[in-house]
Amino acid sequence: MGIIDGKMVASQIKGNIADEIKILEQKTGKIPGLAVVLVGDDPASAVYIRNKNKTCKKLGFQSFENILPENTSELTLLNLIDTLNNNDRVNGILVQLPLPSHISSNKILEAIDPKKDVDGFHLENVGRLVTGNATFKPCTPAGIIQLLDHYEVNIDGKNAVVLGRSNIVGKPIFFLLMERNATVTICHSHTKNLSTITQSADILIAAIGKPNFVTKDMVKNGAVVIDVGINRVGDKLVGDVDFQPVLNKVNLITPVPGGVGPMTIAMLMLNTLQAFKNFISLKI
């Protein structure tokens, strides 16, 4: 049994990114730029944005912060996206979700230039992911694969079970695991005999947003458990997995916090670096 250290793996990835940016800046005189858009004053989103800005500065990225009031119109936001699409110093655009209810998330995500869609949510990039030709893999699922690789978890031929079918985690991780020759089952609120399915998982990924939902009896001995959930219970952050009892039964498990979370920002930076490299190769 062992704990997967997402902070350590993310730190290594970010160190490699910082080194590469220095080399690219010497060669081109340019650095990658990431624009973050936040509408409203959701405290969790604000913390996330602050962390992204700090990471940008630390790694040598240029950060473009756009914080708009809650009552911003859809048209104003679309105009901002258009401006960022046409700014050559911006290589990646990230719109913080959820957006206020009067703004269509789909319309906004579709307005982002697919070449700058570092979240991988544009329909063109989703299509590329589904067909195995991803330009940008969504950050959290990509981070999960990186963690499995770092800890030398063999995905090929394994039974993988994913709890949750969101467009952000559940669906994309399904395709990434299948690309690596896993046999993948997605479970959701309508799934019958859930425990029977989870007990068959060599790799179990929980992304449903229900604190301590996955209990010890739902998990196979020696499984690898990836907990994507971040739930506030009192003054504590807990995952979707009942961590301590499950830890004693499995081979590897991610903690919350400190597991998948740090990888999401590392993958965002990696995608932005890739977008920058794609852009400069077009310009050369």
Side-chain angles (χ1 to χ4, degrees):
M1 60 184 183
I3 296 174
I4 291 172
D5 189 344
K7 275 187 183 168
M8 178 267 292
V9 180
S11 179
Q12 285 182 11
I13 290 166
K14 288 189 285 192
N16 293 339
I17 292 170
D19 291 344
E20 193 169 350
I21 288 172
K22 281 180 194 145
I23 294 164
L24 287 168
E25 188 178 9
Q26 284 166 1
K27 280 185 182 172
T28 67
K30 294 180 169 64
I31 58 171
L34 175 65
V36 179
V37 180
L38 173 64
V39 183
D41 53 4
D42 177 63
S45 293
V47 169
Y48 196 43
I49 299 288
R50 262 205 314 278
N51 288 341
K52 282 175 185 151
N53 280 336
K54 273 198 323 215
T55 306
C56 279
K57 290 190 177 84
K58 202 170 166 186
L59 302 191
F61 284 71
Q62 193 165 8
S63 180
F64 300 87
E65 194 179 89
N66 301 271
I67 297 179
L68 307 175
E70 180 86 18
N71 61 358
T72 299
S73 72
E74 189 173 88
L75 182 60
T76 300
L77 187 50
L78 286 167
N79 288 338
L80 172 61
I81 300 293
D82 189 51
T83 302
L84 296 172
N85 282 340
N86 290 297
N87 183 345
D88 281 355
R89 292 190 303 150
V90 173
N91 305 109
I93 301 170
L94 180 138
V95 176
Q96 188 66 35
L97 301 176
L99 288 167
S101 56
H102 65 278
I103 297 175
S104 161
S105 295
N106 286 346
K107 201 182 278 189
I108 299 305
L109 294 176
E110 286 309 295
I112 297 170
D113 182 340
K115 295 189 288 296
K116 298 189 178 190
D117 167 40
V118 287
D119 256 338
F121 294 158
H122 190 284
L123 284 181
E124 182 179 314
N125 288 326
V126 173
R128 286 179 171 280
L129 175 76
V130 169
T131 54
N133 299 292
T135 308
F136 303 115
K137 294 169 181 173
C139 300
T140 301
I144 291 168
I145 298 294
Q146 289 264 10
L147 285 176
L148 293 173
D149 284 348
H150 183 90
Y151 280 84
E152 298 180 345
V153 175
N154 182 22
I155 301 171
D156 198 301
K158 292 291 168 40
N159 283 337
V161 173
V162 180
L163 303 184
R165 52 177 167 177
S166 74
N167 292 334
I168 295 171
V169 181
K171 288 177 189 169
I173 194 63
F174 171 87
F175 290 107
L176 292 179
L177 288 164
M178 206 162 55
E179 204 175 85
R180 299 287 291 272
N181 301 318
T183 300
V184 192
T185 306
I186 285 207
C187 300
H188 44 77
S189 57
H190 294 249
T191 300
K192 303 278 192 292
N193 304 315
L194 182 64
S195 286
T196 308
I197 298 168
T198 58
Q199 284 162 8
S200 72
D202 303 307
I203 300 166
L204 177 62
I205 296 170
I208 49 171
K210 291 188 176 179
N212 301 320
F213 178 84
V214 176
T215 52
K216 184 179 174 182
D217 61 325
M218 294 171 71
V219 178
K220 177 180 178 178
N221 276 324
V224 173
V225 176
I226 305 291
D227 190 349
V228 185
I230 300 178
N231 311 284
R232 189 165 286 285
V233 175
D235 59 351
K236 278 179 69 180
L237 285 180
V238 300
D240 291 348
V241 177
D242 191 10
F243 180 78
Q244 206 58 51
V246 172
L247 169 64
N248 298 323
K249 193 175 180 182
V250 298
N251 188 24
L252 286 167
I253 185 170
T254 56
V256 177
V260 174
M263 295 298 293
T264 300
I265 290 184
M267 293 299 105
L268 174 68
M269 298 299 150
L270 202 55
N271 280 351
T272 306
L273 174 60
Q274 187 57 54
F276 173 67
K277 283 155 71 173
N278 294 348
F279 174 73
I280 56 178
S281 70
L282 287 173
K283 290 285 175 183
I284 291 166

